[in-house]
């Protein structure tokens, strides 16, 4: 049987192929595309449209970069569960599992070699609140998953790669709405019922990582993954998508109280 962590290596290779491809593009390249929505009659009839790409001319520079998702969540998220409200097959998407234990030095050196080969300089590093605060004000900064997180951040720090730090969801009973607390699927999808406690916990994690462990590679913080839809992870019972605006405000306040100027990023889908 192959080790589970081998899949993580190949996932990085697949996700990051765009990064490598951009390094080998010719200076100018013309592609033929078809756009059925265009006004030109020849296009509407399936005629060609020509676009010229000049790779030597810079028009805009991204604030971040193009990379992969590295996640430190190893405890399985429910999948294949027929739920009465949430119909997704996998209630955590692909955002968990696949990395070797932090103590497996040989395995991590192999992961690092692949990351070096891919030339990654920007990554979305993912975590959930359960990993570091399973109970209110009880922090598990030395848990197996946190040690995996340190492995991931160690590579970024050493290689001067920037981190977009992503809390995917909470997935803890103490922050879930009462209707969701005894429901393993509902807990994952639940918005935090206590925004101040949620924000304090996340800010404490950032303080630990940036101030105590000197991970200056963390450049941005995103507080939730894809809120605003019926499949999201910022929901009120039974399945109401909430705005994350108040959550962003609470986290900003908690970070400011700790003297941390870490920028917050709005998620890719949002009702804020």
């Amino acid at each position: 049987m192959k080790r589970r962590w081998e899949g993580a290596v190949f996932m990085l290779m697949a996700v990051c192929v765009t990064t490598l491809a951009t390094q080998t593009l010719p200076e100018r390249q013309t592609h033929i595309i078809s756009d059925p929505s265009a006004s030109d009659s020849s296009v509407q009839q399936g005629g060609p449209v020509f676009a010229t790409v000049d790779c030597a001319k810079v028009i805009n520079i991204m604030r971040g970069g193009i990379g992969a998702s590295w996640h430190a969540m190893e405890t399985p998220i429910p999948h294949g569960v027929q739920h009465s409200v949430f119909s997704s097959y996998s209630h955590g998407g692909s955002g968990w599992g696949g990395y070797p234990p932090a103590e497996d030095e040989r395995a991590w050196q192999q992961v690092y070699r692949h990351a070096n080969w891919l030339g990654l300089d920007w990554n979305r590093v993912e975590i959930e609140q359960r990993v570091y605060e399973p109970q209110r004000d009880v922090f598990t900064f030395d848990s197996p998953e946190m040690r995996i997180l340190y492995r991931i951040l160690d590579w970024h720090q050493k290689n001067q790669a920037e981190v977009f730090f992503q809390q995917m969801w909470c997935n803890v009973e103490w922050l879930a709405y009462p209707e969701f607390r005894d429901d393993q699927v509902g807990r994952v999808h639940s918005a935090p019922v206590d925004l101040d406690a949620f924000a304090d916990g996340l800010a404490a994690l950032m303080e630990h990582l940036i101030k105590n462990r000197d991970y200056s590679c963390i450049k941005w913080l995103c507080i939730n993954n894809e809120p605003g839809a019926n499949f999201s992870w910022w929901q009120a019972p039974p399945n109401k998508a909430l705005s994350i605006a108040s959550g962003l405000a609470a986290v900003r306040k908690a970070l400011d109280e700790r003297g941390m100027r870490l920028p917050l990023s709005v998620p890719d889908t949002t009702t804020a």
Side-chain angles (χ1 to χ4, degrees), residues 119-184:
L120 305 176
D121 62 3
W122 183 97
N123 288 294
R124 182 179 185 232
V125 175
E126 303 169 12
I127 201 169
E128 63 181 7
Q129 199 135 359
R130 174 197 56 79
V131 172
Y132 62 91
E133 194 182 11
Q135 300 177 44
R136 183 168 185 167
D137 295 328
V138 176
F139 294 95
T140 53
F141 290 151
D142 193 40
S143 69
E145 288 160 300
M146 283 296 295
R147 293 197 295 273
I148 288 174
L149 175 65
Y150 302 148
R151 280 284 195 175
I152 295 170
L153 294 176
D154 285 346
W155 181 89
H156 287 80
Q157 191 71 23
K158 179 181 179 180
N159 291 276
Q160 299 181 331
E162 295 185 339
V163 170
F164 180 97
F165 199 96
Q166 173 75 63
Q167 172 143 317
M168 300 293 284
W169 40 71
C170 296
N171 194 20
V172 285
E173 291 184 23
W174 69 273
L175 269 179
Y177 278 85
E179 296 89 333
F180 288 150
R181 287 174 186 166
D182 295 327
D183 180 350
Q184 62 174 347

Side-chain angles (χ1 to χ4, degrees), residues 3-272:
R3 294 182 181 179
R4 292 173 60 235
W5 59 266
E6 291 177 349
V9 173
F10 289 106
M11 179 188 72
L12 286 175
M13 292 171 64
V15 173
C16 300
V17 68
T18 303
T19 305
L20 294 178
T22 58
Q23 298 173 1
T24 58
L25 283 175
E27 184 173 311
R28 296 179 68 88
Q29 187 169 9
T30 300
H31 299 276
I32 300 176
I33 61 174
S34 179
D35 182 2
S37 66
S39 58
D40 188 286
S41 59
S42 66
V43 174
Q44 292 178 353
Q45 296 171 7
V49 175
F50 296 91
T52 298
V53 179
D54 187 349
C55 296
K57 182 178 180 181
V58 177
I59 298 176
N60 293 302
I61 298 176
M62 298 175 65
R63 290 289 300 273
I66 298 176
S69 291
W70 277 18
H71 44 77
M73 298 172 287
E74 293 295 310
T75 299
I77 300 292
H79 67 281
V81 176
Q82 297 297 318
H83 196 270
S84 59
V85 176
F86 301 102
S87 59
S88 301
Y89 180 83
S90 178
H91 298 281
S94 60
W96 62 270
Y99 285 98
E103 294 73 27
D104 191 336
E105 182 66 30
R106 181 178 180 183
W108 274 98
Q109 289 306 318
Q110 182 175 349
V111 173
Y112 290 163
R113 284 195 297 273
H114 277 276
N116 292 334
W117 176 76
L118 288 165
L120 305 176
D121 62 3
W122 183 97
N123 288 294
R124 182 179 185 232
V125 175
E126 303 169 12
I127 201 169
E128 63 181 7
Q129 199 135 359
R130 174 197 56 79
V131 172
Y132 62 91
E133 194 182 11
Q135 300 177 44
R136 183 168 185 167
D137 295 328
V138 176
F139 294 95
T140 53
F141 290 151
D142 193 40
S143 69
E145 288 160 300
M146 283 296 295
R147 293 197 295 273
I148 288 174
L149 175 65
Y150 302 148
R151 280 284 195 175
I152 295 170
L153 294 176
D154 285 346
W155 181 89
H156 287 80
Q157 191 71 23
K158 179 181 179 180
N159 291 276
Q160 299 181 331
E162 295 185 339
V163 170
F164 180 97
F165 199 96
Q166 173 75 63
Q167 172 143 317
M168 300 293 284
W169 40 71
C170 296
N171 194 20
V172 285
E173 291 184 23
W174 69 273
L175 269 179
Y177 278 85
E179 296 89 333
F180 288 150
R181 287 174 186 166
D182 295 327
D183 180 350
Q184 62 174 347
V185 171
R187 284 198 302 271
V188 180
H189 289 279
S190 181
V193 69
D194 186 332
L195 287 178
D196 289 336
F198 158 78
D200 286 342
L202 186 52
L205 173 67
M206 292 296 100
E207 184 174 45
H208 171 70
L209 294 177
I210 297 173
K211 288 190 174 182
N212 298 343
R213 294 188 66 94
D214 296 321
Y215 287 125
S216 59
C217 55
I218 299 174
K219 303 297 184 182
W220 301 271
L221 172 63
C222 186
I223 70 172
N224 185 254
N225 180 58
E226 298 179 359
N230 62 1
F231 59 82
S232 294
W233 297 272
W234 194 270
Q235 311 296 87
N239 186 15
K240 179 184 177 182
L242 301 178
S243 168
I244 66 162
S246 54
L248 288 166
V251 173
R252 179 73 272 156
K253 178 175 180 289
L255 290 171
D256 290 345
E257 288 174 349
R258 289 167 171 78
M260 303 185 67
R261 299 177 61 83
L262 181 65
L264 295 180
S265 176
V266 176
D268 43 3
T269 304
T270 179
T271 58

